[in-house]
Structures are given as structure tokens and as C-alpha cells.
Amino acid sequence: MSSAIVTRSLTKQYGSLVALNAFDITVPQGSIFGLLGPNGAGKTTLIRILTTLMRQDSGEALVEGFDTRTKGREIRRLIGVVPQENSLDRYLTARENLELHARLHGMPAQRYRQRIDELLTLMGLAERQNDFPDTYSGGMLRRLVVARALLHEPKLLFLDEPTTGLDPQSRRAVWDYVRSVAGSMTIILTTHYLEEAEQLCDRIAIIDHGRLIALGSPQELKARLTGGAVYEIEFGRDGEQFATALRNLACIGTLQVEGRTVVVELERWECLSEVIAALNGAEVRRITLRDRTLEEIFISLTGEGLR
Amino acid sequence: MMTFQGTVAIWRRDMLVLRRSILPELVAVVAYPLTIYLAFGIGMKEYIGQVEGVPYSLFIAPGLITMTAVNAAFSESVWSLWFHRRVQFTIESYRVTPITASEIVIAKILSGFTHGLVKGLAVALVIFAITPFRFTPAHLLSYLVFLVPGSALFSCAGIICGTLMDKPETIGRVEAVFIMPLMFMSGLFFPLSSYPAAILPVIRLLPTTALFEGARLALVYGRFTAVYAALLYVTAAVLFTLAVGIFRRRMSE
């Protein structure tokens, strides 16, 4: 599969602050690629370089084979951008906002009129197309920005925190749309919602201090951290009295007592039968496998401190 | 290669917005110079009488029209650019399309220039309607030779301020400390001969003097001052180059 994005030793500094530090990444065409990282990790700087809004200090960034330093116009023809801020023109109606964007892309009027009709219908905004953005809800604004980014049929879509501030229904609507276009274009998604990344992305890169610190599918990332399976065992009585028996087992990694529940990390899942044997006769109410979340991976890699 | 597709698209957007708000805007735009004209030109007529061989109300008319035009050009450029850059972030949405930074800034300069001409014309029509003064087409044409680069010059100055200044209060200070004093010092309400002889050569070097004095000489007396016109066009060209360069540089930061 060819690459939509390749960066090699990409570096950007703001004074003494290193925003990107010899950053290397390859994004396959047609994938949904998530960029995760705490505030100030370098995600926005990376997006701004890839969308030609900013120049790197050194290193190379190729978008669909075009160098961001010399082929900005060619790259901008191929990309659609949903920025963090809606950046809609409040003095133009929704339709006029889309028309302006189409003209900036040099689309012929006949083609863009039809495409705008399609997108407004798809996004559920056709009835409100002649209203000004100020009268829209947060979800409608976001859908309009997504429509604008898709108007010229980009090969690459950058979604910079596309669902921040949206209610669950609107968030689901954006997710559904992203899933529906997956495969037809490459999607680069930055988000603070780890659930969103887990739901949508084929591959995820975790960035911190301008460096790539982990890369893989959500499952691969989770497997990398867990090392073993984590089970929650709920007893009818206080868990502490059963914990002693479990602590003696060699295959128990960590053990934690939370009231009536004992959380054990097993070095391998086969160890579960030994645990059950050790609990022979105990009043066990429930045993559940606790799936490690992406959030745990994220926190373990980037730390818990506020940025 | 620059195609100007972005320039045309953004200018059309600005004109659509101007068309929508033209009536309420014109009321506000005409009110200020008209008040000054009524107060000074007509109210003080009996006290001031003639200045440089013409009634005072005629003496200040070209300056008030020019002031309205260049003020509108400056305001539109500076506030529009600041608003689109810092509040609405629309400049950023333009910059991820296949147009260049130069196309954006030229569109904004053109929009400021158009605002200036439209609003200057509106004030001119009102002043012509309430006064008995009439000008020959030749006078009007040579007046336009000054008004056009004047509006362009102030539009470029607005773009430079709107690009460099992030805080609205800074823009307000520039208007109060530089723009208005420069206009008033250029003989808007009084003849340049009022200046002490030692200062006069410096005043004559100001592009605003070239604009206001040149425009008055052209409209009232039909005298075309080539030196003033040249100074105005050269300054406008320099500011245009600076505005485009500064905007491009700021955008690449």
C-alpha cells in the first residue's frame, strides 16, 4: 500500500521549545490514522506543517508524494481540513460559505452547485442552507465545517479534534460519517477523546514532547501495555480474606483489593484455572475480564501530570 | 503561478457583505463628514469667508470627501483583516485552499479600496446635493487621479496594521495617533500657507499632503500637480509591496 504521508526527521522549534523532534511517521493511503498526545505534544504543529500552514525547521514531509516546502499549492488541492475552530464566515449563509470555498478551489459553478446540494442533504443541513452560521447549534456548525472540507472531494482529510464540545448524538453523527467515507480517502484525526480514537482509527500514533512514543492499532497498543490479563473477582464478603490465598500463586502479577472485589493481573490467561482452584469453596459472585482502555495506555506513556 | 482566482473569490465575498450592509453603513459613513461640513463649512461660513480665493465650504469639500474615502479604505482593511485573522479564523480557512497568501492580501487591499471609493462617492453626492458647487468632468477626473491611489495607499496601510497588530486597542491607537493627525496636518481644514516656512517643506513631503492638497487643487482649481501625484503613486506602490510582503511573512511564521 502506498503512503499518503511520510515524514522524515521532521523538526520544528519555537524559540527554545522543541515542538517536533526528528519526527518520523508513515501513514498508509486509505487509513484512518489517529494522532494522540497531551496538550503541547506537537500534534497541531504536525498538522499545520502537513497542511502547509507552517514550515518545518528541518526534515522532510511528503503529502501524497508532494514536498510541503515546495509543493504547497498541489498539496492544498488534495486536502480537506476540519480545524479546531469552526472558522466559518458569520456574514455568509451556510450555502455561501460552501460556495466561497468551492471558488477558492477553482471549482466550476455547475459542479459545485450540485456537490453543495449533495453535501447539505447528507449533513442534514439542506433546510437551513440559507441561514447564517450564528443561528446554528454546535453540532450543525461542525457538520457544516465537515461539509466544507469535503466539498472538493479531497484525497486526504485532516480532522483536528472534530467532535470537541459536541453532544453525544452529534458526536455519533460525525463518527458515522467518518466511518462511511473511510477507505475512499485517508483520514488524519487528532482527538482528546480516546474512545473516539479507539472507535475510529486503524492505527494510532501517540506523541509526546514532539516525539513518536508509540504506534500501532488500538489492539496492538493495548496488548503492549497489558502484558497479562486483568480480572476482577467479586466476592460475597470482604475480598481481603481471599486475597491471601491468591497472593501465594506464582502466576499472579499484581493484586489489588477494592472492598469485596479483588483485581488480579495474571501473567498469562492459562493461570485463570489455578486462580479458580485456589478459590475453591469461596463465595465468588462474579469474575470479569477487565479490558485495558486506550486511556490507560495513554496515561502510562505520557504521565499523569497536567500540561 | 498566481491565477487571482482566490483574489476574485474573496473580493466577491467582501462585496456581497458590503451590498448587504450598504444602507445602514452609508448612513453612518455620511453622518460624520456631513456633520463636520455643516458645522465648519456652513456654520462658520460667515466668520471664515474666503480661503485661497474660494468660499470655505468649497475649500473643505474635497478634503472631506477624500477623508471619508481613505478612512473607509483604512478601516475596512485593518478591521476586516484583523477580524478574519484573529476572531473568525477565516484567513486560515482560505490558506488551506490552493490559493497563495498574495492572492488573499491583494483581495483584501482591493476590498478596502472599493469600500473607500463607494463611501467617498456617497459623501460626494450628498455634498454636491446640498451645495451649489458644480465641477467640470475634467476636474472630477483629475480629482480621481488622486483619490484612487489615496484609497489604495490607506487600504495598504490598513492591511499592514491588520497583519501586524493582534490587539484591537492597538489599532485604535494607530488611528488616533497617526491616521487622523496625518490627515488634519495635511491641510484638510486650513491652507498649507498657514504653516511656518521652516516646517512647510516637511509637510509637503507627506503623502497625505500630496493626497489632500493635490485632490483639492485638482477638484477646486482644475490644477493637476504632477509632483503630488507621483509622490502618491510611488508611496502607494511601496506600501502595496510592503503590505503583500509583510502579510506573506506573517502567514509563513
Side-chain angles (χ1 to χ4, degrees):
Chain A
M1 189 184 283
S2 38
S3 303
I5 290 169
V6 178
T7 70
R8 296 188 194 104
S9 301
L10 199 63
T11 301
K12 177 74 187 176
Q13 274 183 258
Y14 304 108
S16 59
L17 178 78
V18 182
L20 283 177
N21 191 353
F23 192 84
D24 293 330
I25 208 166
T26 300
V27 177
Q29 276 181 339
S31 59
I32 304 182
F33 193 91
L35 285 173
L36 300 185
N39 291 334
K43 306 182 300 289
T44 301
T45 300
L46 178 62
I47 296 270
R48 290 181 74 80
I49 291 172
L50 294 173
T51 55
T52 78
L53 285 171
M54 182 185 276
R55 267 180 174 249
Q56 64 266 43
D57 295 329
S58 62
E60 189 179 41
L62 302 175
V63 176
E64 292 289 339
F66 292 113
D67 192 317
T68 51
R69 286 165 304 189
T70 55
K71 299 288 179 191
R73 191 187 280 250
E74 285 79 358
I75 290 171
R76 293 195 296 273
R77 266 187 235 287
L78 300 175
I79 62 171
V81 181
V82 175
Q84 278 180 34
E85 302 85 14
N86 284 328
S87 70
L88 289 161
D89 195 326
R90 67 181 65 166
Y91 294 104
L92 300 181
T93 64
R95 189 176 187 91
E96 287 163 354
N97 264 286
L98 298 181
E99 284 174 350
L100 171 60
H101 186 79
R103 288 194 199 108
L104 293 171
H105 271 276
M107 292 171 76
Q110 205 176 358
R111 188 172 147 229
Y112 73 64
R113 281 188 195 126
Q114 189 187 347
R115 178 83 178 136
I116 288 171
D117 287 338
E118 285 168 16
L119 283 168
L120 285 170
T121 306
L122 186 71
M123 295 292 171
L125 298 171
E127 299 292 313
R128 301 282 309 272
Q129 61 178 291
N130 294 319
D131 292 346
F132 290 91
D134 280 354
T135 65
Y136 276 25
S137 67
M140 291 167 80
L141 288 172
R142 222 57 194 137
R143 294 200 311 264
L144 181 58
V145 177
V146 173
R148 185 179 67 181
L150 294 168
L151 186 58
H152 55 288
E153 298 173 274
K155 286 181 80 172
L156 244 122
L157 183 63
F158 290 90
L159 300 168
D160 199 359
E161 299 182 18
T163 59
T164 300
L166 295 188
D167 59 50
Q169 287 89 342
S170 299
R171 185 175 301 166
R172 293 270 166 197
V174 173
W175 289 5
D176 288 345
Y177 187 75
V178 170
R179 282 196 201 98
S180 74
V181 295
S184 62
M185 63 182 79
T186 310
I187 297 172
I188 313 292
L189 171 85
T190 76
T191 179
H192 280 126
Y193 300 118
L194 299 170
E195 184 199 358
E196 184 166 277
E198 202 167 348
Q199 290 268 338
L200 295 176
C201 297
D202 305 323
R203 288 176 76 72
I204 290 171
I206 299 181
I207 308 175
D208 200 12
H209 299 296
R211 283 190 170 277
L212 179 67
I213 54 172
L215 175 69
S217 68
Q219 291 72 27
E220 284 168 351
L221 289 176
K222 282 196 254 181
R224 195 178 303 176
L225 182 78
T226 49
V230 178
Y231 287 89
E232 288 178 358
I233 306 166
E234 188 186 330
F235 296 96
R237 285 173 285 160
D238 183 24
E240 190 55 55
Q241 55 190 288
F242 305 104
T244 315
L246 294 175
R247 280 195 187 101
N248 293 331
L249 295 175
C251 63
I252 297 277
T254 59
L255 186 147
Q256 209 179 331
V257 181
E258 297 167 1
R260 291 181 173 190
T261 303
V262 176
V263 181
V264 289
E265 184 192 343
L266 310 184
E267 287 177 358
R268 55 190 188 282
W269 67 267
E270 293 91 338
C271 177
L272 185 60
S273 53
E274 289 178 46
V275 170
I276 290 168
L279 295 174
N280 189 25
E283 194 184 331
V284 176
R285 286 195 172 170
R286 188 167 52 187
I287 299 180
T288 48
L289 175 65
R290 184 198 272 183
D291 195 11
R292 287 291 176 96
T293 64
L294 202 54
E295 187 166 331
E296 286 173 282
I297 323 292
F298 185 78
I299 295 291
S300 75
L301 291 171
T302 61
E304 290 185 29
L306 290 174
R307 302 283 171 89
Chain B
M1 195 188 70
M2 208 153 80
T3 60
F4 291 106
Q5 114 197 343
T7 299
V8 174
I10 296 167
W11 181 79
R12 277 180 67 181
R13 175 263 168 218
D14 289 345
M15 292 307 103
L16 172 65
V17 174
L18 174 65
R19 227 172 35 235
R20 282 208 179 114
S21 60
I22 188 79
L23 279 178
E25 254 196 73
L26 279 185
V27 171
V29 162
V30 169
Y32 177 61
L34 198 62
T35 308
I36 294 179
Y37 186 77
L38 293 173
F40 288 89
I42 295 174
M44 306 277 285
K45 190 169 61 178
E46 299 305 318
Y47 300 96
I48 299 176
Q50 300 245 319
V51 177
E52 293 195 336
V54 294
Y56 186 60
S57 52
L58 174 59
F59 178 82
I60 62 169
L64 285 175
I65 299 166
T66 310
M67 182 186 79
T68 307
V70 299
N71 246 341
F74 180 83
S75 291
E76 166 62 18
S77 293
V78 69
W79 290 112
S80 166
L81 194 59
W82 177 80
F83 182 76
H84 284 273
R85 199 169 60 79
R86 301 290 303 172
V87 180
Q88 217 170 233
F89 302 107
T90 14
I91 295 287
E92 197 144 307
S93 73
Y94 299 160
R95 289 181 59 220
V96 291
T97 66
I99 66 168
T100 61
S102 300
E103 285 175 77
I104 300 171
V105 69
I106 292 170
K108 287 294 172 194
I109 291 171
L110 275 177
S111 297
F113 170 76
T114 315
H115 270 253
L117 285 191
V118 168
K119 291 168 185 175
L121 181 68
V123 170
L125 288 175
V126 173
I127 288 180
F128 294 162
I130 63 169
T131 62
F133 310 128
R134 296 293 174 263
F135 305 99
T136 66
H139 287 202
L140 287 168
L141 270 180
S142 54
Y143 172 69
L144 281 178
V145 170
F146 289 90
L147 189 66
V148 167
S151 296
L153 188 156
F154 273 79
S155 182
C156 292
I159 292 294
I160 293 171
C161 293
T163 305
L164 293 176
M165 289 162 193
D166 290 337
K167 293 180 179 169
E169 57 268 30
T170 317
I171 296 172
R173 283 184 203 123
V174 167
E175 284 177 325
V177 176
F178 290 104
I179 303 298
M180 288 313 283
L182 268 176
M183 288 185 199
F184 278 60
M185 281 165 61
S186 304
L188 179 59
F189 292 112
F190 55 86
L192 293 181
S193 55
S194 306
Y195 276 110
I199 299 177
L200 198 54
V202 180
I203 296 294
R204 285 194 193 283
L205 283 176
L206 294 174
T208 41
T209 305
L211 171 62
F212 284 95
E213 185 68 1
R216 175 166 39 234
L217 292 174
L219 188 64
V220 176
Y221 305 100
R223 279 194 348 236
F224 181 77
T225 319
V227 178
Y228 280 156
L231 176 58
L232 206 47
Y233 279 90
V234 168
T235 314
V238 169
L239 278 196
F240 176 79
T241 312
L242 274 176
V244 174
I246 289 169
F247 182 80
R248 286 180 58 175
R249 190 183 169 85
R250 188 81 202 256
M251 291 301 108
S252 68
E253 280 170 5

